[in-house]
Amino acid sequence: MTTERWALGGDLSVARVGYGAMKLTGWPRGDRPDRETALAVLRRAVELGVNHIDTSHYYARDGVAANELIREALHPYPDDLVIVTKVGALVEGADIGLPASEKRGLTPDGLRRGVEANLRSLGVDRLDVVNLRMGDLDRGETSLAGPLETLLALREEGLIRHLGVSNVTAAEFAEARAIAPIACVQNLYNVASRDDDPLVDACAQAGIAYVPFFPVGGFQPVTAERLDAVAARHGATVPQVALAWLLARSPNILLIPGTGSLSHLEENVAAAALKLSEDDLAELG
């Protein structure tokens, strides 16, 4: 495990390779591991030095919930474990086609219920970091001011330590920073999807963590060929190279690759030790 760390929110020291819990539930669709494997993955992650876990109360399907698995596997939590949750617009659900102002998850009541659900299911009195997730279909068209102000009030109540934003535009990021201290941004970004390059840099300049989702997905044929070549030179896998590229891209990037496999977990964590050369980085573009 790399010794590289980041002070999330300025005071929560986390290893740059963390873990995303969504795949433990197969939410919103897809395969998932059996319960004992899921618990073993979480415990092994902590053994490997992971102390940043990303989750949400809405990562749940067919009676299997990520937060409940985390609680069963790791509670009482290690002192240095940072659990990041999210509330707001659902990725999928009954309200996905509604305007942002009408999405239940973005209303004051919906946000409070989301925060309380995360507190309850994780078994904590305060959430380390809560990301406000904006919508997909109307991305960038509705102000996040109201929802963020609701979360800021919940922080003032002592229910939240730090706030982050997810699925946001550069304009929304600037708007958010004018309202509240922002600890992190969680957006789509990887070696093949670099629209957020300016936002990654803006976050770095502001001392704010950037946490990419889909960190190893969506590779086009040319990118895949280059990744294959770099992986072959290092005796590594393509996902490891993709993760190493993100770590090399900017020191504020934190990784939360998800998996329901112990072997894939170990492979992902090992990517922290993979150092790409200048030639490697130039080849990947």
Side-chain angles (χ1 to χ4, degrees), residues 14-51:
V14 297
R16 291 186 64 201
V17 178
Y19 176 75
M22 186 175 73
K23 287 192 175 181
L24 296 180
T25 69
W27 182 91
R29 55 189 176 276
D31 296 331
R32 63 169 172 256
D34 62 68
R35 188 174 191 86
E36 290 308 310
T37 299
L39 297 173
V41 165
L42 287 163
R43 290 167 180 148
R44 182 59 177 151
V46 171
E47 289 174 358
L48 291 171
V50 168
N51 72 329

Side-chain angles (χ1 to χ4, degrees), residues 237-254:
T237 67
V238 164
Q240 284 179 318
V241 173
L243 293 173
W245 180 87
L246 285 167
L247 291 173
R249 168 62 179 83
S250 185
N252 67 317
I253 288 182
L254 305 180

